């Protein structure tokens, strides 16, 4: 079944794909295009901030059938580690010592954090990594949208 194009908040989709917290889950509403956040940690940031609460708003969101929600699964740590390996392989002009440190980081028990630690003090390479990672993340979003038959009313800003 072909769905009509929906207006998607691209910043929200990116945030959902970048989510590392297991207690937070994101969905895309296939009718409204809204990114929906569910989980234990979602309300804690607003509990003490009365300015953010709308006194006239209902406590309950309008209910919608679950079939209109599409689970957003962020890339796994293994996928991100594969991106890191590709980055090191494709960045032929890395300083030899940094390249070795990054490869060593990928062999450890926590490659994602070790890789980021190895990039500390190397601002230019760190910036290159985050630009590379953003491109891979955008590719993941595009593949996910295509795989789920989601058609956006407007193209994402990265195209």
């Amino acid at each position: 079944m072909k769905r009509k194009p929906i207006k998607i908040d691209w910043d929200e989709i990116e945030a959902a794909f970048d989510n590392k917290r297991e207690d937070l889950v994101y969905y895309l509403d296939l009718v409204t295009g809204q990114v929906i956040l569910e989980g234990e940690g979602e309300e804690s940031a607003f509990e003490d901030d009365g300015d953010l609460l709308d006194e006239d708003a209902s406590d309950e969101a309008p209910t919608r059938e679950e079939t209109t929600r599409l689970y957003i699964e962020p890339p796994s740590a293994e996928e991100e580690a594969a991106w890191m390996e590709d980055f090191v392989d494709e960045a032929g002009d890395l300083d030899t010592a940094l390249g070795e440190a990054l490869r060593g980081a990928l062999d450890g028990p926590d490659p994602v954090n070790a890789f980021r630690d190895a990039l500390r003090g190397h601002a230019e390479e760190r910036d290159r990594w985050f630009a590379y990672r953003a491109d891979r993340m955008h590719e993941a979003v595009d593949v996910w949208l295509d795989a789920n038959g989601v058609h956006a009313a407007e193209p994402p800003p990265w195209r």
Side-chain angles (χ1 to χ4, degrees):
M1 176 175 127
K2 186 166 173 135
R3 297 182 188 108
K4 75 177 198 173
I6 57 175
K7 183 170 174 47
I8 297 174
D9 183 332
W10 295 111
D11 290 334
E12 289 291 322
I13 284 284
E14 284 185 284
F17 269 81
D18 205 22
N19 175 38
K20 302 286 186 253
R21 293 187 50 185
E22 293 180 10
D23 63 333
L24 297 178
V25 178
Y26 289 86
Y27 297 92
L28 176 64
D29 187 303
L30 298 172
V31 175
T32 67
Q34 179 182 6
V35 175
I36 301 162
L37 171 63
E38 291 183 356
E40 292 180 19
E42 72 175 300
E43 294 176 9
S44 63
F46 301 108
E47 286 176 357
D48 296 329
D49 196 346
D51 295 338
L52 295 177
L53 299 175
D54 183 357
E55 298 297 328
D56 297 327
S58 168
D59 285 342
E60 294 184 27
T63 58
R64 183 172 303 286
E65 288 187 41
E66 291 300 316
T67 58
T68 66
R69 288 185 177 185
L70 183 60
Y71 172 62
I72 299 172
E73 183 172 2
S76 66
E78 292 80 17
E79 288 173 280
E80 190 161 351
W83 296 345
M84 291 172 174
E85 286 181 37
D86 293 343
F87 172 77
V88 174
D89 291 343
E90 294 173 21
D93 60 344
L94 284 178
D95 174 68
T96 304
L98 177 59
E100 289 175 9
L102 293 173
R103 288 193 191 285
L106 294 171
D107 292 332
D110 185 8
V112 173
N113 286 326
F115 187 90
R116 289 182 180 163
D117 287 344
L119 283 171
R120 285 201 175 111
H122 302 275
E124 188 174 319
E125 272 71 14
R126 186 184 64 236
D127 291 346
R128 282 177 54 194
W129 156 245
F130 281 110
Y132 183 89
R133 182 182 180 277
D135 289 343
R136 299 298 79 74
M137 190 71 72
H138 293 154
E139 288 172 4
V141 170
D142 290 341
V143 166
W144 179 81
L145 291 169
D146 288 341
N148 288 288
V150 177
H151 303 284
E154 299 171 2
W158 53 85
R159 282 196 199 153

